[in-house]
Amino acid sequence: MTLWEYVEDRWDLILFETAQHASMVAQCVLVAAVLGVLIGVATYRRPRLASLATASSGVLFTVPSLAMLGLLIPALGLGVAPSVTAIVLYALLPIIRNTVVGLQGVDQLVVDAARGIGMSRGRSLTRIELPLAWPVILTGIRVSTQLAMGIGAVAAYVSGPGLGEQIFSGLARLGGANAVNSTLTGTIGVAILALLFDGCFVLLGKLTAPEGPLSRRLTTGGVRG
Amino acid sequence: MADQSTTGVPIELRKVTKAFPGGGEPAVRELDLNIPAGEIVVLVGPSGCGKTTTMRMINRLIEPTSGDIVIDGRSSHDIDPDRLRRNIGYVIQQAGLFPHMTVAANIAQVPKMLGWDRARIAERVDELLTLVGLDAEAYRDTFPRRLSGGQQQRVGVARALAADPPVLLMDEPFGALDPISRERLQDELLGLQDDLAKTIVFVTHDIDEALKIGDHIAIMKAPGHIVQYATPAEILTNPADGYVEQFLGAGSSMRLLRLTKVGDIEVDQVPYASEDADAAAVLVEIERDGRGYALITDGMRRPLRWVSAEQLQGVEGPVGSAGDAITGTLGHRMTLQDALEALLNADNDVVPVVGRRRAYAGALSLSTVQNAIQAIKTRERERRLHRNHPGGSG
């Protein structure tokens, strides 16, 4: 059986697993993005706290994903729970780090102006600092997404959902019928998904750039009907 | 509301001290300063003298350690800092515009926070852009990055004026500009201030800028105290101590020339007459004056020719075209320095001064300028003596 025949034969299953994989990665990155930006916002003004946050997420980062998943089994069992937890933990680091770097990189003169014309801390953060740090934060989310794609595949080790199932079952039956086809399908599927997600980020980045169409709409629209 | 703008209010600093934690000497020490309503007061001094700290305490970007700041009779301590700042315009070096917002959105920030409706904000934005000399149509929707430094700072000023605050704080606003743009923006600020009469606190380390802009100047010295607080002319003619003298550097008299307008000094009153005046009558006038010449003007009193007594000898009836055409005039708003430059290059010793609508207002010669400078110095000296012995006999 050729690879193409294999894919045609199991089209429904592969499509389902791909959708599962995409959905898991998207949701995990979303959670990690919300958590990561919040942690970044909470710590960026205090250098010591900020380096503690990046250092501890950095330590997590050095744990091999297979080991991490294994370590999570006693606490969370098998299936979705350990997979999601591991992906979120890994996805946090680039987002926290980029949020801190992005916010600290905002021109102090601009922040001073925002405070000086009477913006509260919160307003300055949401209207000025976060929008200006956004390209850097978005890059962090993008890196996290690529990371989550790969770890999502490994998550099949703890019976997690997604395309990892194809890869692991293929590897387990190496030499048997369709073993290579299965592994290849899983691998190529993850690669295609990763490219699609990355494309979305490029588009999102262009739309939300500080001088991009969305920002133009938001800022000028506020002034002129 | 739009046509009636808010004018300045007085600000009073009372024994204001700022000590930063672990900073040793306080940055500002028991500083008293009275800033009159509608005046430009310049805080000037070398870096680290506490001038910026002093200014930032007025809008509470820095909280004073002790002392009180009273704005229009109210202690700033009793006002919520964010609300206080919305009523105090703030202009900083390089403008500090929000790079992700259009020019219009930058200017609109304070009115938005104050809850103005969209139509009113849009109208105000256009009005302000025109006020600071930018074409509203062309610049409203551009982003700050596309503007020159001078244009950015104009937008910065417009943003500070957006909600028509009575007070403006300006922290080295023109420091990063090239000399030509800086001069122009200084002139425009002075022009604006003629109409707006805001209370402006202006921080700079450039003494020439201070002398040009300020109604009063506070010369500061580290650690955070004022060495002299006086008008520019008084500082130039009567520096309080060696520190101020050193800070002024050489060339005080030249600076006095730059500071004084032609219209401020007593110019020569040369007799003048129109072309159809009777020559004999003009001759009588010239002889009574004793200078030996008169100025011939047109019907609108605009200077045309110099005419001497000899040239009028024997002329019957109206003066007509007798005399030599003038080679130039001086405006009454020119600085004495510019006037002096023009006098040195002029063909005649005496050059007519013109006022509104280029009408004759007097004449200026090198010796007149010299006498005027002497007079200013004497006047300042007398004022000083008078102040040192108030109500003294004699």
Side-chain angles (χ1 to χ4, degrees):
Chain A
M1 209 185 241
T2 65
L3 179 61
W4 186 242
E5 281 164 345
Y6 176 85
V7 171
E8 257 188 333
D9 197 42
R10 292 164 175 76
W11 182 243
D12 284 344
L13 177 69
I14 292 167
L15 208 62
F16 172 71
E17 283 175 345
T18 308
Q20 246 187 349
H21 201 100
S23 148
M24 174 175 68
V25 167
Q27 289 179 54
C28 289
V29 169
L30 196 71
V31 171
V34 171
L35 281 177
V37 170
L38 281 178
I39 294 171
V41 164
T43 59
Y44 81 103
R45 275 187 212 277
R46 278 151 255 164
R48 231 184 253 163
L49 222 56
S51 53
L52 183 73
T54 34
S56 43
S57 55
V59 168
L60 276 178
F61 210 65
T62 57
V63 179
S65 52
L66 218 55
M68 166 83 86
L69 287 163
L71 284 171
L72 285 172
I73 296 174
L76 299 168
L78 293 173
V80 174
S83 317
V84 167
T85 310
I87 296 174
V88 169
L89 284 178
Y90 280 108
L92 273 178
L93 171 73
I95 298 174
I96 294 178
R97 196 181 46 202
N98 280 33
T99 304
V100 169
V101 168
L103 286 172
Q104 285 177 345
V106 174
D107 188 349
Q108 275 314 296
L109 223 55
V110 171
V111 182
D112 182 51
R115 301 286 292 147
I117 67 167
M119 285 196 185
S120 61
R121 270 264 143 81
R123 195 182 174 96
S124 160
L125 191 72
T126 53
R127 303 286 168 103
I128 309 296
E129 295 169 71
L130 278 175
L132 288 175
W134 178 243
V136 184
I137 298 173
L138 191 69
T139 305
I141 298 176
R142 194 172 157 187
V143 171
S144 286
T145 307
Q146 300 303 314
L147 214 68
M149 279 292 168
I151 294 165
V154 181
Y157 173 70
V158 290
S159 311
L163 285 164
E165 177 56 28
Q166 290 284 342
I167 301 171
F168 274 85
S169 72
L171 288 175
R173 294 180 283 115
L174 215 55
N178 285 326
V180 174
N181 282 339
S182 171
T183 308
L184 271 179
T185 305
T187 313
I188 294 170
V190 168
I192 292 174
L193 260 190
L195 286 173
L196 280 176
F197 269 65
D198 215 41
C200 289
F201 274 111
V202 171
L203 201 69
L204 192 65
K206 285 213 169 115
L207 279 174
T208 57
E211 283 187 31
L214 216 63
S215 143
R216 190 179 282 267
R217 275 269 297 286
L218 285 176
T219 67
T220 53
V223 187
R224 316 183 52 220
Chain B
M1 163 96 208
D3 26 306
Q4 197 60 55
S5 73
T6 318
T7 51
V9 296
I11 303 172
E12 202 185 333
L13 279 71
R14 294 178 188 157
K15 298 232 169 306
V16 174
T17 297
K18 177 65 195 182
F20 289 104
E25 288 250 49
V28 175
R29 203 172 54 188
E30 298 212 334
L31 190 125
D32 287 308
L33 182 64
N34 265 315
I35 300 167
E39 279 206 0
I40 302 183
V41 167
V42 182
L43 307 179
V44 65
S47 46
C49 71
K51 55 189 192 296
T52 300
T53 307
T54 303
M55 194 201 78
R56 289 166 71 92
M57 282 194 284
I58 295 174
N59 67 355
R60 292 180 64 191
L61 278 172
I62 294 176
E63 294 285 353
T65 312
S66 65
D68 200 7
I69 295 174
V70 180
I71 301 172
D72 198 20
R74 277 187 76 188
S75 168
S76 70
H77 206 77
D78 302 336
I79 311 170
D80 170 69
D82 290 330
R83 283 192 39 212
L84 174 75
R85 288 181 206 132
R86 286 170 204 171
N87 283 306
I88 297 180
Y90 189 53
V91 186
I92 54 176
Q93 198 170 30
Q94 289 161 11
L97 297 180
F98 308 131
H100 60 306
M101 293 183 185
T102 60
V103 164
N106 263 284
I107 299 172
Q109 287 306 309
V110 178
K112 257 188 189 168
M113 286 188 280
L114 295 173
W116 293 18
D117 63 62
R118 281 182 178 198
R120 187 172 164 210
I121 294 178
E123 193 186 327
R124 180 68 178 153
V125 165
D126 286 4
E127 184 187 318
L128 282 162
L129 281 173
T130 314
L131 187 72
V132 299
L134 291 173
D135 178 26
E137 205 59 52
Y139 291 103
R140 196 193 284 135
D141 294 331
T142 26
F143 282 94
R145 196 168 52 83
R146 299 182 199 284
L147 305 179
S148 71
Q151 288 171 331
Q152 286 187 19
Q153 199 49 274
R154 280 163 212 260
V155 177
V157 172
R159 180 175 68 183
L161 289 170
D164 197 22
V167 176
L168 231 55
L169 303 182
M170 307 184 87
D171 189 1
E172 306 216 11
F174 310 139
L177 300 178
D178 64 273
I180 293 169
S181 310
R182 190 185 311 152
E183 285 277 330
R184 194 179 305 150
L185 264 96
Q186 287 166 349
D187 292 337
E188 283 175 23
L189 178 68
L190 290 174
L192 271 181
Q193 174 68 354
D194 279 346
D195 298 333
L196 300 177
K198 304 285 184 192
T199 303
I200 300 179
V201 182
F202 192 107
V203 165
T204 182
H205 59 260
D206 178 356
I207 184 69
D208 284 311
E209 185 168 65
L211 291 167
K212 177 174 178 180
I213 293 271
D215 293 313
H216 279 92
I217 298 174
I219 297 185
M220 294 186 66
K221 184 180 180 181
H225 65 284
I226 293 173
V227 184
Q228 186 171 18
Y229 181 47
T231 62
E234 192 180 345
I235 283 175
L236 283 174
T237 51
N238 179 26
D241 61 10
Y243 173 79
V244 177
E245 260 171 53
Q246 194 192 347
F247 196 69
L248 285 169
S252 280
S253 297
M254 284 307 286
R255 286 199 170 105
L256 212 50
L257 289 175
R258 210 176 306 158
L259 215 64
T260 317
K261 299 265 189 293
V262 171
D264 297 342
I265 66 167
E266 205 166 318
V267 291
D268 298 337
Q269 290 307 323
V270 177
Y272 67 95
S274 71
E275 285 173 293
D276 29 283
D278 183 55
V282 175
L283 200 54
V284 171
E285 195 67 26
I286 291 175
E287 258 141 34
R288 185 159 16 151
D289 177 61
R291 258 180 271 249
Y293 51 85
L295 187 73
I296 304 303
T297 65
D298 66 5
M300 308 278 286
R301 270 215 297 153
R302 286 181 295 220
L304 293 175
R305 289 185 298 279
W306 289 116
V307 65
S308 65
E310 293 89 62
Q311 284 166 324
L312 283 179
Q313 293 295 346
V315 177
E316 297 279 335
V319 177
S321 58
D324 307 314
I326 57 160
T327 45
T329 57
L330 302 169
H332 72 309
R333 303 196 71 131
M334 253 182 170
T335 64
L336 278 191
Q337 188 187 24
D338 292 339
L340 202 57
E341 173 77 21
L343 277 171
L344 291 171
N345 294 325
D347 299 332
N348 297 329
D349 290 346
V350 185
V351 176
V353 175
V354 294
R356 281 171 169 273
R357 294 163 198 273
R358 311 195 50 73
Y360 172 71
L364 208 57
S365 65
L366 285 174
S367 58
T368 322
V369 176
Q370 198 175 14
N371 291 339
I373 291 296
Q374 285 305 330
I376 293 171
K377 283 186 173 169
T378 314
R379 197 174 63 218
E380 291 296 336
R381 204 171 300 131
E382 270 163 13
R383 198 190 291 174
R384 175 165 85 237
L385 283 174
H386 186 74
R387 205 179 34 233
N388 290 346
H389 311 281
S393 57

